[in-house]
Amino acid sequence: MPTSTNELPLTTEVARAGAQEQQRAEELRQQIRRANYLYYAQDAPELSDAAYDALMRELRELEETYPELLTADSPTQRVGTDAVTTFTPYPHRVPMLSLDNAFGADDLRAWEEKLRRQLGAGPELRIEYVCELKIDGLSVNLTYEDGRFVAGGTRGDGLMGEDISPNLRTISALPMQLLPLPPRAAKISHTEPSAAASLPASLFDAVALEEAPAPLQQGVPTRIEIRGEVFMSHREFARINAELEEQGGKTFANPRNAAAGSLRQKDPSETARRRLDVFLYAVGECEGWSFQSQHDLLQTYREWGLRTNPNVRVCSGIEEVIAFCDEWGGKKGELPYDIDGVVVKVNTFALQRELGQVSSRAPRWAIAYKYPALQVRTRVESIEVQVGRTGALTPVANLTPVALAGVTVARATLHNEDEIRRKDVRVGDTVVIQRAGEVIPEIVEVVKGERTGEESEFFMPSHCPSCGSPVVRPEGEAVTRCPNEECPKKLHERVRYFASRAAMDIEGLGDKQCEQLTQSGLVRDVADLYSLTKEQLLGFERMGDKLATKILAHIEESKTRPLARLISGLGIRHIGEHSSEVLASHFGTLERLTAASVDELAGVFEIGRRTAESIRAFFDEPRTQQALDKLHDAGVRPQSHTNAPQSDRFAGKSFVFTGTLTRLKREEAEAMVKRLGGRASGSVSKQTSYLVAGTEAGSKLTKAQEISVPVLTEDEFLQMTEEPAEE
Ligand code: IVH
């Protein structure tokens, strides 16, 4: 971007647009916006793809010839603009709340009962709800001023997200300009009889007083925070993963992660290539407009040209809600995107206001009905054994491919021999598999009634399937291992892990590349990566000059990764990403870590004696020392760990922990806060940003409630600490 007009070439003649060009550009913009509206919001396109492309082409050409005609909200500006290196904070003017969950019909009935109690009403009160699909994506908050999109951010911790405006601008379904509405009276209710109409008289009076008279409104709000979910369709997910696989990159585990990774791309043109989609369903701050109900909101959004999900139903009473949830439980697999439940909202806003919030976290007037982990039946075609980086032999079931929660599943891990015996899984069996969240699919049980007698039992091989060495299974351990340090598969996996995002994060070195590098003998240990030359890389399949140069640059870059990444990449048994962080933070330098005794290691918070012994044994191996020397000679200089925070996610926030935490130790939770730039304190005061309450929380919880300090559960705290997963 030019910083001053002096930077413009003085000699070049710049064409100036006349009134005619200006008018044509505006016409084209209008036509394209209308086409987008009909296509995305109304699902009723009027233009063919070719006609649409022609309009876009003409507009682009006009804007190229007459740059002064280019406007920030032009439909041509959706291919991504300047790359950003960091995201700036995006404060939510009204907090973005989360929802309580219901896991079955009884939970929903109990919720309705609670609502009635809260309203002081009996069973005669028929509450009207809106049921919407719970889209499994990432929530975003978009600000429109006088109908123009001005900025948008992620949810973050609900109070502060990250500004991802350039990336949001690339989403074609998101209008940069809302369509103004003709004058109309604000609707009191869309359908008869409304919840308000069936309220007890006193409450109805209160509602009527608050709502009347219905304001006349038109156009667009002066300012509005529009909220919704950005997601990726199954089709796009499959396309991107196929592309990543082709390039040897790491694929995404599911559409949600792919959407998260794409939305947080530093380079918006990359986001533009990943076609994200969006459904809008909620409002934050709103000036110059009033919605009467959730149904009114959705309808108005649609009329403004915003994309809303068509599968919505207004239900009278909780039994109709339950029917909707059951119905979608049966057919959610048919949708072209993932949902993980149904969001049930009390329809009228008057009643919503009456009900208010449970805490600063969730409203009382809405609940998320969650479907149980999806399960399907399929057949075990064969069982193969994979060799991991530590030599562990893992049996994996090859399944008849089935669609499960939006992805095709063809394999499931069987963990180890004991697990196969416990579940009695045989080749040829019909099995029930499930995918819960982001976990790799697993076999839940064998459908024994389907056995024909043709099934065959599985036995762990006596020799490594990769190198043929006799395998070992130490007394008392469940894992069978290949003990051969030269085993080619172990080496391949070690190099792959070293280069992965969990460790040195070397872009361009995916599974295929690592296999080629190790099989060719060019890489015999991870340090060999640092002596690769372009000529060597060019000998590989699908490797051009450009890609080879890139890979070498990424390898070079990795030399100064933080210490924790190198520790993780070394592949010490029992040491994953988290323990690597802990070790790096305790010892600060690799030298101090390698010199530590078992006692010193075991004295580190969160490192057990068994792990300490495993670390010591690893560093005592002569080959480890050789590898470390070689890495040092190659110029690998991990950044020493300082106690400085590794992120500013919690900057300016102070946390107090109380009660018994189940997943974290208190010290660990406090260390996490510090690592993320926040403060952990022992007592609750007005300065406290959040109280994290475990079970049996006592006076601190009462105090926090008294002075309105937001209270989080342990799970919510953990969620706040997490970056959206990218893999
Ligand atoms: S309404 C206060 N509606 O679910 C109510 N949320 O568990 C705010 N979500 O953070 C949410 N589809 O990311 C609402 N139709 C929908 C939704 C939806 C997906 C997500 C959203 C929210 C989370 C709550």
Side-chain angles (χ1 to χ4, degrees), residues 96-99 101 132-139 155 228-229 281-282 340 343 345 363 365-366 368 370:
M96 290 183 81
L97 303 180
S98 57
L99 296 177
N101 294 325
E132 296 170 18
L133 300 183
K134 188 169 185 307
I135 313 299
D136 197 7
L138 291 115
S139 45
R155 177 175 186 276
E229 202 83 354
Y281 50 66
D340 59 345
V343 179
K345 302 172 184 176
W365 48 262
K370 290 276 187 73

Side-chain angles (χ1 to χ4, degrees), residues 268-299:
S269 65
E270 192 50 42
T271 311
R273 293 195 334 97
R274 322 246 182 109
R275 284 161 228 144
L276 292 168
D277 208 336
V278 66
F279 285 127
L280 288 321
Y281 50 66
V283 63
E285 190 197 48
C286 179
E287 280 171 20
W289 200 271
S290 111
F291 301 102
Q292 305 306 309
S293 65
Q294 176 65 11
H295 186 268
D296 173 28
L297 175 143
L298 292 174
Q299 214 177 342

Side-chain angles (χ1 to χ4, degrees), residues 103-316:
F103 292 101
D106 286 344
D107 282 0
L108 286 174
R109 291 189 187 107
W111 175 60
E112 176 163 78
E113 265 319 295
K114 239 166 67 190
L115 296 184
R116 285 217 180 89
R117 266 203 309 278
Q118 172 81 19
L119 295 166
E124 70 287 353
L125 171 67
R126 197 153 32 82
I127 305 177
E128 204 173 70
Y129 303 98
V130 171
C131 291
E132 296 170 18
L133 300 183
K134 188 169 185 307
I135 313 299
D136 197 7
L138 291 115
S139 45
V140 290
N141 186 21
L142 318 167
T143 303
Y144 282 82
E145 281 174 8
D146 295 320
R148 259 170 205 274
F149 172 85
V150 289
T154 58
R155 177 175 186 276
D157 63 3
L159 300 175
M160 181 77 81
E162 286 176 321
D163 190 323
I164 48 162
S165 309
N167 291 348
L168 289 167
R169 284 180 196 278
T170 70
I171 303 177
S172 332
L174 207 61
M176 293 293 105
Q177 177 90 52
L178 302 182
L179 297 172
L181 294 189
R184 67 172 190 196
K187 295 172 193 163
I188 287 290
S189 164
H190 68 285
T191 166
E192 288 301 328
S194 75
S198 57
L199 282 177
S202 60
L203 190 53
F204 179 64
D205 287 345
V207 170
L209 272 180
E210 206 178 324
E211 297 305 319
L216 191 73
Q217 39 191 8
Q218 62 176 315
V220 290
T222 30
R223 180 162 59 203
I224 183 167
E225 286 185 321
I226 289 176
R227 283 145 187 205
E229 202 83 354
V230 169
F231 65 97
M232 189 179 277
S233 70
H234 295 152
R235 208 172 146 181
E236 183 62 5
F237 169 68
R239 188 187 72 81
I240 285 173
N241 263 0
E243 206 175 278
L244 286 172
E245 210 167 309
E246 177 106 322
Q247 296 159 354
K250 288 160 216 91
T251 53
F252 290 106
N254 56 39
R256 188 182 181 281
N257 286 1
S262 310
L263 209 50
R264 296 190 76 261
Q265 279 289 329
K266 299 282 160 66
D267 177 1
S269 65
E270 192 50 42
T271 311
R273 293 195 334 97
R274 322 246 182 109
R275 284 161 228 144
L276 292 168
D277 208 336
V278 66
F279 285 127
L280 288 321
Y281 50 66
V283 63
E285 190 197 48
C286 179
E287 280 171 20
W289 200 271
S290 111
F291 301 102
Q292 305 306 309
S293 65
Q294 176 65 11
H295 186 268
D296 173 28
L297 175 143
L298 292 174
Q299 214 177 342
T300 310
Y301 276 13
R302 220 164 287 150
E303 290 171 42
W304 281 335
L306 294 164
R307 184 154 150 87
T308 59
N309 191 289
N311 307 301
V312 190
R313 188 178 299 160
V314 178
C315 294
S316 181

Side-chain angles (χ1 to χ4, degrees), residues 82 297 376 477 520 668 713:
D82 301 346
L297 175 143
V376 286
E477 278 193 29
S520 62
E668 191 185 6
T713 64

